[in-house]
Amino acid sequence: MDESTDMAAPDAAVDTAPPVSARAARLASIPNFLRIERFINENGTRREVSACDFTFGNPHQMPDERYVTTLRDALTPQNDQWFAYQTNGEPAREAAAESLGHLLDVPFQPEDIYLTTGGFAAIALALKTVADPGDEVIFSLPPWFLYEPLILEAGLVPVKVTINTATFDLDLAGIDAAITERTKVVIVNTPNNPTGRIYPPELLLRLAELLEAASARIGRRIYLVSDEPYNRIVYDGLRFHSPVEFYPYTLLAYSYGKTHLSPGERIGYLALPPTMPRRDEMRPAINSLQVAMGWVYPNALLQHALPELEKFSIDIGRLQSRRDRLVEALGNMGYRMWQPEGAFYLYVPSPIPDDVAFAESLVHRDVLVLPGVMFETPGFFRISLTANEDMIERSLPAFEAAIKESVPRS
Ligand code: PMP
């Protein structure tokens, strides 16, 4: 029997509307989404086969044995509920609160840790906890390129302020000027992707004062979302300071994907500091959001592993050596750059104004970097230090040839 004869004929008038929601269509048309998709499609084969891949913060080395053993151990059930639905598991919360408290010298409480599927979900949860559709969210350029989709998906309005590109510091005056009576959130990312800057305590203090004064001016509280997945990726023995130490109305988003260089294993959290006023009113709201946003809790396996995952990290010294090797070698070739203090990246001024053309000249030499245009700050390119040592050594002649070609010696 021909089944198609049984199907109702499509109604032309009904089917002229787009097949996706306006929100989904808007997300799909964000220029950076399109750029990244195009980049991945165009360079897919090259990335697989040969290239020195400095694009994303992905591992190019075998995972640490301890990481693998930890996951394997966490897989062994200790009771019949081992793989039951897990919300914010107590042992995981306790371990995370203790470790974060130790790092920042702030006594976080376990019930203020909300476990999520990585940093993405922690940021989305933070935004939806405090902001309503139509509210404005300020973030700095160059940004992590997925703030904008997360903001739009929550029905919020992105407002962008470019950093001081000479010092890589936040433009506090610019942030102040961007605040309107609709502002609800300012996102701060330190250690910063892509600049590698760790914002100093004085700057964070001035930001806190600014937000306090601006909240009073507009007559409603502005929250700070501190996106700090790299808070353990810090070089030269520097002490990391979080905005939570300075501004009580801060929601802290964290991911274990950087600490263990394992972004495919999705676990992180949103944390509220003990200084956050009215936390008792926020707790039930956050718990409900976690379910309603699609059960954004990490898998049971990762929750069981978390207390052990808190005890170690990837080899930061090895990352720092890669940073040192690249900063020195590129510096000798004539690249003028800022030495990152933390995170996974070098954000290097492009020797020619057209950063896309410069990145392409590297692609032709099998070296893949991301042009600054992807971070809405043309004139730079980003190198990820998660490339391995072999890639770094093989890439150096290409970096040298590319700068020589673009800046002819007189
Ligand atoms: N924030 C920043 C600044 C990041 O660089 C990333 C990951 N690249 C995230 C958040 C999200 O982290 P995850 O993928 O582990 O959720």
Side-chain angles (χ1 to χ4, degrees):
M1 195 181 88
D2 179 1
E3 289 182 10
S4 64
T5 53
D6 288 346
M7 291 205 315
D11 181 328
V14 171
D15 286 325
T16 49
V20 296
S21 67
R23 182 187 328 212
R26 174 139 191 233
L27 286 173
S29 67
I30 296 173
N32 263 347
F33 256 16
L34 299 175
R35 277 196 199 102
I36 292 166
E37 199 177 276
R38 202 178 325 122
F39 181 89
I40 290 173
N41 288 341
E42 283 171 5
N43 294 302
T45 343
R46 211 181 228 111
R47 289 173 76 210
E48 273 159 33
V49 292
S50 61
C52 305
D53 186 356
F54 294 101
T55 50
F56 299 105
N58 259 325
H60 294 282
Q61 63 195 62
M62 286 303 281
D64 282 354
E65 191 49 41
R66 187 164 178 191
Y67 186 76
V68 178
T69 311
T70 300
L71 294 197
R72 204 178 279 137
D73 289 350
L75 197 54
T76 307
Q78 292 176 16
N79 55 54
D80 63 356
Q81 294 292 298
W82 204 243
F83 299 118
Y85 279 112
Q86 293 278 340
T87 57
N88 294 303
E90 269 322 301
R93 279 179 137 179
E94 280 166 21
E98 195 191 323
S99 167
L100 188 63
H102 192 253
L103 181 78
L104 302 178
D105 203 13
V106 173
F108 283 88
Q109 293 172 15
E111 62 267 37
D112 292 323
I113 305 284
Y114 300 88
L115 303 169
T116 60
T117 45
F120 275 76
I123 297 165
L125 186 59
L127 294 175
K128 290 183 179 178
T129 297
V130 295
D132 277 307
D135 284 346
E136 294 173 2
V137 180
I138 298 177
F139 62 93
S140 293
L141 308 184
W144 176 47
F145 29 59
L146 296 171
Y147 291 141
E148 184 161 7
L150 292 179
I151 291 166
L152 290 174
E153 194 281 330
L156 307 171
V157 181
V159 177
K160 306 172 185 182
V161 177
T162 303
I163 59 163
N164 178 335
T165 49
T167 62
F168 284 174
D169 270 331
L170 294 173
D171 176 0
L172 293 182
I175 291 174
D176 200 28
I179 290 172
T180 72
E181 66 284 351
R182 301 255 15 110
T183 304
K184 195 75 206 193
V185 174
V186 174
I187 301 178
V188 174
N189 167 222
T190 177
N192 190 267
N193 169 11
T195 65
R197 183 85 170 108
I198 296 179
Y199 299 127
E202 310 78 61
L203 183 101
L204 296 177
L205 182 61
R206 282 197 288 136
L207 175 67
E209 287 165 358
L210 182 165
L211 293 179
E212 196 57 58
S215 300
R217 187 168 77 231
I218 66 170
R220 67 173 194 163
R221 177 55 57 186
I222 300 173
Y223 287 87
L224 194 157
V225 171
S226 180
D227 177 28
E228 46 186 84
Y230 301 96
N231 65 15
R232 268 83 165 175
I233 313 290
V234 172
Y235 305 126
D236 307 315
L238 281 175
R239 162 90 156 84
F240 168 76
H241 287 279
S242 165
V244 294
E245 297 168 49
F246 303 92
Y247 190 62
Y249 299 88
T250 297
L251 300 94
L252 186 159
Y254 177 69
S255 164
Y256 291 83
K258 318 297 175 192
T259 310
H260 292 291
L261 192 45
S262 59
E265 295 297 334
R266 310 294 305 157
I267 183 161
Y269 56 75
L270 176 68
L272 304 183
T275 46
M276 170 76 81
R278 300 170 69 181
R279 273 177 355 278
D280 51 334
E281 289 169 62
M282 296 173 102
R283 285 181 188 135
I286 300 178
N287 281 318
S288 308
L289 272 172
Q290 283 181 285
V291 175
M293 283 167 63
W295 201 265
V296 292
Y297 303 102
N299 284 339
L301 168 67
L302 289 166
Q303 295 211 29
H304 297 315
L306 187 146
E308 187 61 25
L309 291 177
E310 278 292 0
K311 296 182 186 155
F312 63 103
S313 79
I314 50 159
D315 183 350
I316 309 290
R318 188 170 168 192
L319 276 177
Q320 186 172 315
S321 304
R322 293 177 191 165
R323 176 203 67 169
D324 293 345
R325 175 74 178 128
L326 274 166
V327 167
E328 194 191 356
L330 298 188
N332 289 339
M333 293 172 198
Y335 290 90
R336 292 285 153 253
M337 85 203 89
W338 208 87
Q339 171 158 298
E341 299 162 311
F344 282 169
Y345 314 99
L346 302 183
Y347 204 49
V348 186
S350 167
I352 52 172
D354 186 345
D355 53 289
V356 174
F358 188 75
E360 271 166 13
S361 80
L362 287 169
V363 166
H364 292 133
R365 297 178 165 95
D366 271 347
V367 170
L368 306 181
V369 300
L370 293 183
V373 69
M374 283 193 183
F375 302 88
E376 300 172 69
T377 45
F380 288 86
F381 64 93
R382 191 187 79 169
I383 293 176
S384 176
L385 298 171
T386 56
N388 60 42
E389 288 76 7
D390 175 56
M391 289 175 174
I392 292 176
E393 294 308 320
R394 284 193 291 122
S395 72
L396 296 181
F399 279 115
E400 178 140 45
I403 194 170
K404 276 197 178 135
E405 179 185 86
S406 57
V407 190
R409 298 253 157 88
S410 53

